[in-house]
Amino acid sequence: QSALTQPPSASGSPGQSVTISCTGTSSDVGGYNYVSWYQQHPGKAPKLMIYQVSKRPSGVPDRFSGSKSGNTASLTVSGLQAEDEADYFCSSYAGRNNLVFGGGTKLTVL
Amino acid sequence: EVQLLESGGGLVQPGGSLRLSCTASGFTFSSYAMTWVRQAPGKGLEWVSAISGSGGNTYYADSVKGRFTISRDNSKNTLYLQMNSLRTEDTAIFYCANVVTGTGWASDYWGQGTLVTVSS
């Protein structure tokens, strides 16, 4: 159960778009359309932003979008806002009743 | 309103035991699988364990298999995590969360977490 690989940091100016990658293997990200993305502000619980690669829970702005190609999933935040500054974690079902998370990406809004 | 409230965290010596609880409200608890996820200080999220809605199926990360036991009491709307043979590397905030059916274990409701510190 190796963690998924995310860049430790990402940044963008207000109004810009930023994409965060999440790389796994054919046993997790590449093998299932079960990638989720979570946003976590300091001292807070994670919040589900994207599930099943590209679906948004109700209440999540459409500025957040997800995609996948091969063993790499991506989260794109468009029209960056100050409140988007947070840590972002991806997760993927990894078969045999296992779930694996990425190491997290700290998104800074410049 | 959905609420998940963890309790039972604290300071324990290496080799010791602790039982975490997560009390749920605002949804039909027995209809949902539940999961525990932990986060070491300043680190990322790590999946720990999950349990089916009935409690009949349980799943564990390799890092805790044989030491932790997940269970639930649907009559009390409560999820548990019994942690034995604790190690310093188990130090983390432990979150309970629901599992949204059919989403590959996505969780849309999380508790605020309870801190477990394993130290001598």
Side-chain angles (χ1 to χ4, degrees), chain B residues 13 26 29-31 34 53 75 85 97 110-111 114:
Chain B
Q13 292 187 337
F29 182 68
S30 60
S31 295
M34 297 292 293
S75 69
S85 302
W110 295 65
T114 186

Side-chain angles (χ1 to χ4, degrees), chain B residues 68-87:
Chain B
F68 291 9
T69 301
I70 190 171
S71 62
R72 64 192 297 162
D73 185 337
N74 287 341
S75 69
K76 296 181 178 179
N77 285 356
T78 302
L79 174 72
Y80 302 101
L81 187 67
Q82 177 67 44
M83 304 185 295
N84 299 331
S85 302
L86 282 162
R87 306 166 180 168

